[in-house]
Amino acid sequence: MTAMNLTSQPLTLDLRVTFRIAHGASDQRRNVLARLEDGLGEGAAVPQWGETQEGIQAYLERAAGLVGDDPFLIEDVMERLPAGSQAARAALDMALHDLVGKRLGQPLYRLLGLNPDRLPLTSFTVAIDEPQVMAERVRQSGLPIIKVKLGSPDDEAIVAAIRRASDARLRLDANAGWTRQQAAQLIPRLAGYGIEFIEQPLAKDDIEGLRWLRKQKLGAPIFADESLKTGREMPALAGAVDGVVVKLQKTGGIREALKTIAMARALDMQVMLSCMVESSLGVTAAAHLAPLCDYADLDGPLLVANDPFSGITYEGAKFSLPERPGLGVVWKS
Ligand code: MG
């Protein structure tokens, strides 16, 4: 057999509205499309993780000599890859799963033994802006679950304005934007508006701070996002948080995401499956794992103006998995 052909190309996404979070703002994301024979995958260039389009493509170029000739040996291929870009690893792992599914003529969720009727609803993300602008976006969306980006000087005013505009279920994401003292003061006040949980209130390495916050029972469950990439960080988080946010772009793909979810369960943590700013390609790959998760935050395609792919479909907050083989993602015609 001959070695599989791995190539990559830029996949540049324009955002519908400026995406401002505690880490910074962007109008465009320069992601990467990986092609392994007929298999497709996406790597997201996430600035705060140091991932760039050039870095992801350079990693995939090096990986081209290591993929071998058999897409069914996913564990072997992933093991052979050097450490480096998690986004590039995610793109290649997705492409391997896509290729295997296409060769077998089965959608990924079936290969994983998962029920496509057991999907949590997804949240819709509202990025940081003036409180009234954010509240108006929530109202206009008409959606029942909103993820509110915080970590600005107006955090309480934002949540208050959104709560006046909508009775949606609210999840808050501080993106590591608060100090311990700010978090300890803010969380009980924000909890008073009726929220489901708070993501990453503190700096990613401040695990003891997360544990300290959680012990105080401030009225809202605390989830870790930036504090973990893979299952390797899970043991340290045991007892420090109520749940974790799993993303293929952090884990480096589906195989490691499955392990991370299993570890969360073993440690009695809840799991939210989420995405970066990604097209329907990367988000659909993640969505196949949604039956294993308590919460979904899979709104990437809703934030992108020029998504070149069709994959999962949305009906309000409800999404459905494609039944086509592999990831089930196709180019828009
Ligand atoms: Mg987050």
Side-chain angles (χ1 to χ4, degrees), residues 122-127 133-148 162 165-170 299 302-303 314-318:
T122 181
S123 54
F124 174 73
T125 302
V126 176
V133 174
M134 292 175 73
E136 184 55 21
R137 263 185 215 133
V138 171
R139 203 187 56 74
Q140 273 177 6
S141 79
L143 292 170
I145 311 175
I146 301 293
K147 171 155 149 175
V148 183
I162 290 175
S166 164
D167 57 7
R169 287 157 61 186
L170 299 182
D299 63 347
L302 304 175
L303 306 174
Y314 300 88
E315 205 179 304
K318 187 172 160 349

Side-chain angles (χ1 to χ4, degrees), residues 246-324:
V246 173
K247 300 175 181 170
L248 300 190
Q249 300 294 337
K250 293 193 299 176
T251 59
I254 292 159
R255 307 298 293 187
E256 184 65 28
L258 290 168
K259 294 172 194 167
T260 308
I261 293 167
M263 289 189 77
R265 296 310 185 194
L267 296 169
D268 207 18
M269 289 186 204
Q270 292 200 291
V271 177
M272 179 158 80
L273 182 65
S274 184
C275 57
M276 301 295 187
V277 177
E278 295 170 66
S279 76
S280 286
L281 173 55
V283 174
T284 302
H288 285 273
L289 305 186
L292 291 170
C293 302
D294 306 292
Y295 303 100
D297 171 36
L298 297 173
D299 63 347
L302 304 175
L303 306 174
V304 171
N306 62 337
D307 188 349
F309 297 106
S310 298
I312 63 168
T313 50
Y314 300 88
E315 205 179 304
K318 187 172 160 349
F319 64 93
S320 306
L321 299 175
E323 290 168 16
R324 292 178 290 264

